Amino acid sequence: MSAYPMSPEALRKRKRTVFVLTALAVAIVLTFIVSMNTGLIRLSPADLLRTLSGGGTERQNLILFDFRLSRIVISVLIGMGLAISGAVLQALSRNALADSGIIGINSGAGLVILLFVAFYPTATAAPAYLLPLLAWIGGGFAALLVFTMSYRRHKGLSPNRLLLNGVAVNAGISAVTIVLSLRINPEQYQFVLTWMAGSIWGSNWSLVAALLPFILVLIPFVFYKARTINVLGLGIELATGLGARVSREQIVLLAAAVGLASSCVAVSGNIGFVGLIAPHLARRLVGQRYQALLPAAALAGALLVLAADTFARWLLQPTEIPTGIVVAVIGAPYFLYLLFRTKK
Amino acid sequence: MTAMTRNPNQASPTESANAESRIYSRPRTAIVTIVLGLIALAFGLALSVTFGAKDIKLFTVWEAILNYQPDLTEHRIIHELRLPRVLGCMLVGSSFAVAGAIMQGMTRNPLADSGLIGLNSGAGFALALCLAFMPGLPYMYLILFSFVGAALSAVFVFALASGVKGGLTPTRLVLAGVTLSALLTALSEGVALYFRIGQDLAFWYAGGVAGTRWMHLQIMTPWVGAALLGALILSRSITLLSLGEDVARGLGLRPGAVKLAGTVIVIVLAGSAVSTVGAVSFVGLLVPHFARKLVGVDYRWIIPTSAVLGALLVVAADLAARTVRPPYETPIGALIAIIGVPFFLYLANKEQREL
C-alpha cells in the first residue's frame, strides 16, 4: 500500500477521498430510505421501522421485502457494476466517452437474452442464474468484435474507431434483435420490449442471487487490479516500459468489464450511460488514481441508479417508467456536454 | 465543372485526407445508371405489385392501371394497397438518399445520414407526442409535426456543431446524433408507455410502408417533389461546397445561404419520409456513397443518381421484407440496417487517419 511515502499533498488527497466516499455512502442510505417509502402503496416511516424489525403485517412484509427491497438491492448492485465496468473500459480504451452501452456490450447481451427467451418458452420460470452467464457470452462477443476492429497493429486501440464501431455494432445488433423479436409470440415480445427500455423487472430475490456472485467476484478483482489500471491508462508503450504484461492484463480486465456490464444488464434491462457518468463524477471528485476512483465510481453509480429507479417509480404513479429511460434522460445530455467540452 | 477541374488538389468529401485524389465526374455513366435504374425500378414496381399475400398476374396489374374496375377484388387490392405502397417506397427511398447526399456534400462528412444524425428520432418524438396528446390527428398535421420534430433536432445538432471550432469531426457528429437519438427515443418510449401507444409507435419505429395509402402520397408528393427539385437546383452549389468552404467562397458562393437552403431541403425530405415509413437509417448513408463511386464527385449527377438508386433500394428492401417469412412482414428499417451496418463499419475503418 505505501509504495511511496505520504506527502502532505497525498494526505490531503486521501482525506478528500475518505470524505467523498462517506458523503456518497450517506446519500445512498438516505435514498435507500426514501426509496423504500416510494411506490403505489405508501409505508410511513413508523410502518417501515416496524416492518423492518419484524413486526409488520403480512401485506407490509410482502411489499417491503419481496417487492421493494429486492428491487432496491438490484439497483444498487447494477449501479456499482455498470459504473466499474465503465471505469475500466474508459481506462482500457483511453477514451473518456467509452461505456458498455455505447460499445455494444449491452445490446449484445440483450440479443442473447432474447434468443434465450425465444427458445426457452417459459421465460418467467427459466433459471435466473443462467441469464448473467448467457449475457456474458453475448456481451463478450460484441466487445470482441468492436475491440478487434478498432485495433491496429503497432498503433494499438484507436479510441475514436472504438466508438464508431461500437455505434455501428449497436445498430446492427438492434436490427437483428428487431427482426428476431417479431418472430416470437406477443407475450415474449412484451418482455423483450420492456427489457430493451431498461426496466428493473427483477422484483424477486432469485435475480439478486444470480447477480450477486458476479458483483462479489468481479468488483473486488477490479479493485485489486487498480494499480495495473493506472499503469495501463498511461498508454501501451509506457505501461510496457513499467513492466506490465499489457496484452494479458488488457484481456483480463476487458473480460471483467464485459462480465460486470452484461450480468447487470441481464438482470436490469438495457440501462445505458451509468458507466459513463459515474466514473466521470468520481474523477472530478477524487482524481485520476484508480485506487480512489473505483470505489467512488461504484458508489456514484449505485446512487445514480437507485435515485433514477426511485424517481421512475414516483414520477407517473401508478405507471412505472423503466429506469433506463430516466437514466438516459439524465445521461444523454451529460454525454453531449462531455462530447463538446472535451477537446481533441 | 470547370471550377472543379481547376482545383485538382482539393479532395472529394470521402477522401479529403489524401489530397492527391483525383477529381472526376462521369456524366455518361451517370446517365446510363439513371436509365438502367429507372428500368430496374419499373421491374421492381411490377414485381412488387404482383407479389404479396395474394399473387396477382402481371396482366391483371396492367389492366388495373389502365382499365380500373372497382368491383374486382384484385383491382381493388392493386389500386388501394399495392400501388400506393410501392410508390411510397420509391418516394421514401429517394428522399432519404437525396437528404443523405446533400448532408454529406454540405458537411463534407462521409458518415452523414438523417438517421444517424438524429433527425429521424426527432420526427419520431414529435409523432409520439401527437399520438399521445392529439389522437386521431389528420395525417396532414402528423406530417407537419414530424417536420417540426426533424427540424428541431437538425437545428440542435447543427447548432452544437457550429459551436465547435473548425466544425465537427465525423465521429463527433455521429456520436452526437446517436446520443440525441438515445435521448429522444427514451422520451418517446416514456410517452408511449404512459399513454399506452407502444405498439403503434414500435411498428412505426421499426419502419413500415404497409400502411401507405393514396391520401399519404397526395400529401407527401408535393413536398418531396418540391424538395427534390430544390436539391437539383442546389446541386451545383453543393458540389462547390463539397470542395471546402474557403474554395466555395473563393468561387463566389455564399456558403451560409447554400447551407440554409440545403438544411431546409434535408428537413423536408427526411421529415416527410420519416412520417411515412418510420425511422429508417442507412439509406442516406449507403446510396450516396455508391452513387459517388459510380458517377464521380459532381453532385449534379450524384443527386439524381441517388434519387433513383435510393428508390430502388427501398423497393427491393420492401420486397425482401415481404419474402423473408410470408405472410409476416419484417420491418424494412431493420433489413436495411443489416445491410447498412457492415458498410458503415467499412467506411469507418477504411481510412487510415482518425475520423
Side-chain angles (χ1 to χ4, degrees), chain A residues 267-342:
Chain A
V267 174
S268 72
N270 191 359
I271 293 184
F273 295 110
V274 178
L276 182 85
I277 301 177
H280 271 274
L281 219 59
R283 203 167 286 132
R284 289 214 154 170
L285 290 172
V286 300
Q288 285 285 356
R289 277 180 70 243
Y290 270 78
Q291 286 94 325
L293 191 148
L294 286 173
L299 291 180
L303 183 62
L304 177 67
V305 176
L306 186 57
D309 183 46
T310 312
F311 188 68
R313 248 182 300 160
W314 169 78
L315 182 64
L316 296 174
Q317 286 177 14
T319 320
E320 289 189 359
I321 11 173
T323 316
I325 291 182
V326 177
V327 177
V329 171
I330 309 169
Y334 188 71
F335 182 89
L336 286 175
Y337 162 73
L338 283 178
L339 187 64
F340 290 99
R341 204 198 45 136
T342 49

Side-chain angles (χ1 to χ4, degrees), chain A residues 31-53 55-70 72 313-314 317:
Chain A
T31 320
F32 199 110
I33 293 169
V34 173
S35 185
M36 282 198 291
N37 224 338
T38 308
L40 192 54
I41 297 160
R42 296 210 164 269
L43 297 175
S44 71
D47 284 340
L48 205 63
L49 258 178
R50 204 177 325 118
T51 319
L52 277 179
S53 55
T57 63
E58 204 166 296
R59 186 153 162 270
Q60 284 170 339
N61 275 335
L62 184 76
I63 292 170
L64 187 62
F65 290 115
D66 287 350
F67 294 146
R68 273 186 210 161
L69 216 50
S70 61
I72 291 171
R313 248 182 300 160
W314 169 78
Q317 286 177 14

Side-chain angles (χ1 to χ4, degrees), chain A residues 101-119:
Chain A
I102 290 160
I103 288 179
I105 298 174
N106 292 7
S107 49
L111 180 58
V112 175
I113 299 261
L114 167 78
L115 289 175
F116 178 64
V117 170
F119 288 108

Side-chain angles (χ1 to χ4, degrees), chain B residues 191-325:
Chain B
V191 170
L193 276 170
Y194 189 67
F195 292 95
R196 300 177 190 286
I197 48 170
Q199 269 190 326
D200 300 343
L201 211 60
F203 195 74
W204 184 86
Y205 255 109
V209 272
T212 317
R213 299 285 175 274
W214 284 114
M215 180 262 302
H216 298 169
L217 294 178
Q218 266 169 18
I219 296 169
M220 218 179 112
T221 314
W223 290 97
V224 172
L228 288 178
L229 202 67
L232 280 178
I233 295 170
L234 208 61
S235 59
R236 195 178 157 270
S237 311
I238 293 173
T239 313
L240 295 182
L241 209 53
S242 75
L243 299 172
E245 234 168 88
D246 295 337
V247 180
R249 201 175 283 124
L251 292 168
L253 196 74
R254 283 161 54 206
V258 175
K259 278 189 171 175
L260 186 68
T263 309
V264 170
I265 291 174
V266 166
I267 286 167
V268 170
L269 286 174
S272 46
V274 166
S275 69
T276 320
V277 78
V280 174
S281 295
F282 293 108
V283 177
L285 180 79
L286 280 169
V287 175
H289 275 282
F290 194 61
R292 201 175 292 118
K293 273 264 179 293
L294 283 175
V295 306
V297 295
D298 189 348
Y299 278 83
R300 281 178 301 183
W301 293 111
I302 292 178
I303 284 176
T305 316
S306 295
V308 173
L309 293 180
L312 199 59
L313 174 66
V314 175
V315 169
D318 180 48
L319 208 56
R322 284 185 280 161
T323 4
V324 173
R325 202 174 69 122

